[in-house]
Amino acid sequence: METLKDLLEIRGIDYEFISHDLQIKTAKEGAEYFGIDPGQTAPTLILYTEKGGLCDYFALIISGDRDKVNFDELINDLQFDIVRLATPKEVEQITGCKIGNVSLINPDIPTILDKRLFRFTHVYGGTGIQQTTLKISPENVEELNRVVAFID
């Protein structure tokens, strides 16, 4: 988390780290805990993809008010051959974090960002550390990640 804090400070980003006793596992739990709209929760999912026989990993930052991720849409829109959620082992290898703690900010991972997040002044998501949440503007999430695509 120190690396994340350093990046935020160097870039002059307005943010807040929020420590909490509860292990937040779902968007609903996060929304209830912070007293926010479920859409302000911004879980980061790691996707395994294949395109033309080559595999890669992408971060997908979605709005917590989505019922599910439409993998067929991602395949069509981004022209992948295969898209699936990364396994827990793959997530840890790619991010250094366990599922449920993946940071909103991953500058080294190509990122797909949900446009729904831009309805809000702030979103809440992972820091890479259990029981610590990052509150940040969606514009800063876009600025600090290597965004390669958006979903509607």
Side-chain angles (χ1 to χ4, degrees):
M1 191 165 84
E2 285 304 311
T3 303
L4 175 58
K5 182 179 179 184
D6 291 345
L7 175 64
L8 295 167
E9 294 291 329
I10 288 167
R11 298 290 292 270
I13 302 296
D14 183 31
Y15 71 95
E16 181 180 353
F17 286 133
I18 305 168
S19 296
H20 40 85
D21 295 330
L22 177 70
Q23 175 69 27
I24 297 171
K25 297 177 186 166
T26 67
K28 182 180 178 193
E29 286 177 2
E32 288 173 2
Y33 184 85
F34 294 113
I36 59 174
D37 186 287
Q40 283 181 272
T41 62
T44 302
L45 308 174
I46 302 299
L47 303 177
Y48 168 87
T49 67
E50 285 186 22
K51 185 176 186 175
L54 300 174
C55 69
D56 203 355
Y57 292 92
F58 287 78
L60 171 63
I61 302 174
I62 61 169
S63 176
D65 61 1
R66 283 194 185 268
D67 289 333
K68 63 180 183 170
V69 177
N70 187 333
F71 290 105
D72 290 334
E73 209 171 87
L74 288 173
I75 287 171
N76 289 332
D77 292 350
L78 302 175
Q79 301 175 350
F80 292 125
D81 299 324
I82 296 172
V83 175
R84 66 167 169 78
L85 288 174
T87 66
K89 184 178 180 180
E90 290 169 330
V91 170
E92 199 162 353
Q93 287 174 337
I94 298 304
T95 67
C97 303
K98 294 189 181 295
I99 289 177
N101 298 317
V102 176
S103 179
L104 269 174
I105 311 302
N106 293 287
D108 297 330
I109 303 173
T111 301
I112 303 163
L113 190 58
D114 188 343
K115 288 182 181 179
R116 291 183 184 190
L117 295 169
F118 291 93
R119 299 174 291 161
F120 304 102
T121 57
H122 292 93
V123 296
Y124 297 70
T127 62
I129 303 294
Q130 267 189 348
Q131 296 167 287
T132 305
T133 296
L134 174 62
K135 177 182 175 184
I136 190 170
S137 78
E139 291 81 10
N140 288 145
V141 172
E142 178 183 7
E143 175 186 341
L144 295 169
N145 284 297
R146 186 166 45 112
V147 177
V148 296
F150 292 90
I151 59 171
D152 289 317

